[in-house]
Amino acid sequence: MKFTVLIVTYHPDWKKLLVTLDSVMAQTFKDYEIVVSDDGSEENCFDKIEAYFAAHQFANYTLIPHEKNQGTVKNLIDGLAKAKGKYVRDFGPGDAFYNEHTLQQVYDFMEENQYESCFGLMRGYCRREDGGVDYVEFPHPFDLSPYKNWNEDKIVKNLVLYRDNASGACTCYTVDYYMTYLKKIEGTVIYAEDIFQMMAGLDGRPMHFFPDYLVWYEADTGVSTKKKSGFSELLAQDVDRFYAMIQEQYSENPYVKKQKKVLGLYKIRNLYLRTLLRLFRNPDAIRYLISHMLQARKGAYRPSHQQKGFLDNPEFGKEKAE
């Protein structure tokens, strides 16, 4: 098996889940399995998922139920434990492959370069009440230049000092690599799974850049993107515990030492005051911010040859949902 598509769910919305499933089933690359791991939902939609696969004559899938909610990291680990693929791309309901060629392209990219991890560009979308679609650009990470020009030291610096990791929504890994780092943060991090990238960078195993759109990302309506959500506090607790672990395990790293000087500033709730004090403590952050703005102005977060994707058609994923 070459690829595992891992879908992690918790109280999934069936219409959103259909968008994800439709984008997978439409791939021209066919050597994949689908693993769905549900984190203790009262309604996990497994009956609908099975009916969907039967209608598509697709049998290469595994459904993993859980009696209790255990958090994203543990849910991912349980899903990966059942994975038969060499590589894995994980989704939440509503997110989708960019177009029908994406899985083939990212597989070729990983195989040809023998990479164990990568991230791609992402486009966000929002469904309006009238059924239309609004589009959002996501600059993740903010500073793409060290990945494009491969400056590993600068990548680690940005990860440690500026928390500038790629969104987990646009990543691809070998199953072994992903499992290794999820196991390292298990018990310390409950929900913010993509934070492990800092640890991987410190270990000399940072991610590589796939220079094309990899995913459509459902913006503003997902749990982790809602601006006013109790979930944001849980993520903040994950970050605090993770940084304490980094300070203990990588205490001799010069960037980790510098990080320690600014950690207390993150407890300041006022964003503007926090930013001002961070710049005072670490003037190099000015360079980092200016670099991001210049890259955005030059279109660094868009592929050089942009192809249309699934959600450029506002009707994608709607017909069956209705």
Side-chain angles (χ1 to χ4, degrees):
M1 185 64 59
K2 293 178 179 177
F3 233 103
T4 296
V5 177
L6 174 57
I7 303 174
V8 288
T9 63
Y10 181 59
H11 297 313
D13 181 305
W14 176 239
K15 290 183 179 181
K16 295 178 181 180
L17 188 53
L18 273 173
V19 173
T20 305
L21 291 171
D22 281 354
S23 81
V24 179
M25 299 301 290
Q27 293 302 302
T28 57
F29 182 90
K30 297 300 183 183
D31 195 351
Y32 66 84
E33 65 172 345
I34 298 176
V35 176
V36 183
S37 186
D38 181 79
D39 199 10
S41 304
E42 293 179 9
E43 174 50 64
N44 58 26
C45 292
F46 280 5
D47 55 341
K48 295 180 180 179
I49 294 172
E50 290 185 302
Y52 175 93
F53 287 146
H56 286 79
Q57 298 182 329
F58 182 78
N60 206 10
Y61 68 89
T62 302
L63 304 181
I64 305 172
H66 291 96
E67 292 186 3
K68 297 180 180 180
N69 178 263
Q70 53 191 353
T72 309
V73 170
K74 187 66 168 64
N75 197 27
L76 283 165
I77 288 173
D78 288 351
L80 288 173
K82 299 292 185 180
K84 303 181 183 72
K86 177 180 179 180
Y87 302 106
V88 60
R89 161 90 280 275
D90 61 286
F91 288 103
D95 299 343
F97 280 118
Y98 184 70
N99 63 27
E100 66 271 24
H101 306 298
T102 300
L103 189 52
Q104 181 70 64
Q105 291 169 342
V106 75
Y107 172 78
D108 291 343
F109 179 76
M110 297 285 279
E111 275 288 289
E112 290 171 6
N113 295 287
Q114 288 298 293
Y115 290 151
E116 56 186 358
S117 63
C118 77
F119 68 94
L121 299 170
M122 56 196 293
R123 285 183 72 190
Y125 76 98
C126 303
R127 293 278 193 191
R128 299 195 303 265
E129 291 185 2
D130 64 6
V133 177
D134 291 327
Y135 303 103
V136 184
E137 295 294 337
F138 277 95
H140 281 282
F142 285 151
D143 187 1
L144 266 178
S145 62
Y147 294 96
K148 287 184 173 182
N149 303 314
W150 196 249
N151 184 331
E152 186 172 331
D153 182 71
K154 191 175 179 183
I155 290 171
V156 175
K157 179 180 181 180
N158 286 353
L159 286 167
V160 176
L161 295 183
Y162 309 123
R163 304 187 179 186
D164 194 13
N165 59 278
S167 168
C170 61
T171 53
C172 177
Y173 316 100
T174 64
V175 170
D176 290 343
Y177 176 92
Y178 203 13
M179 180 69 91
T180 294
Y181 280 101
L182 289 178
K183 282 287 189 179
K184 285 188 175 185
I185 65 174
E186 182 184 13
T188 299
V189 177
I190 311 299
Y191 302 102
E193 82 289 346
D194 53 9
I195 200 171
F196 81 81
Q197 293 172 37
M198 184 188 303
M199 181 180 287
L202 287 165
D203 287 342
R205 303 171 73 181
M207 300 176 65
H208 294 266
F209 175 52
F210 171 69
D212 207 338
Y213 285 128
L214 203 160
V215 297
W216 287 97
Y217 183 58
E218 188 195 20
D220 294 332
T221 56
V223 174
S224 62
T225 52
K226 287 182 180 179
K227 295 180 179 179
K228 294 182 179 180
S229 167
F231 190 65
S232 61
E233 181 58 34
L234 295 176
L235 292 176
Q237 293 172 14
D238 273 353
V239 170
D240 288 343
R241 290 191 297 267
F242 177 77
Y243 268 70
M245 181 171 64
I246 290 295
Q247 285 293 322
E248 179 179 349
Q249 295 184 11
Y250 301 88
S251 59
E252 296 305 311
N253 181 276
Y255 294 130
V256 173
K257 289 180 178 179
K258 195 169 185 179
Q259 175 201 75
K260 190 173 184 179
K261 297 179 181 179
V262 298
L263 277 179
L265 299 179
Y266 284 96
K267 298 186 181 300
I268 299 174
R269 295 296 182 182
N270 186 296
L271 174 62
Y272 300 103
L273 178 59
R274 184 171 73 235
T275 302
L276 182 63
L277 291 174
R278 282 180 60 197
L279 293 176
F280 179 76
R281 288 275 185 91
N282 180 22
D284 180 70
I286 298 174
R287 186 263 335 149
Y288 164 77
L289 293 172
I290 292 175
S291 175
H292 162 59
M293 290 187 290
L294 291 176
Q295 289 176 73
R297 183 172 296 180
K298 294 178 180 179
Y301 307 105
R302 297 180 182 180
S304 55
H305 301 287
Q306 182 174 332
Q307 299 177 341
K308 285 191 174 182
F310 290 131
L311 271 300
D312 282 313
N313 175 8
E315 298 303 310
F316 181 81
K318 288 180 61 178
E319 183 177 350
K320 292 178 182 179
E322 293 169 353

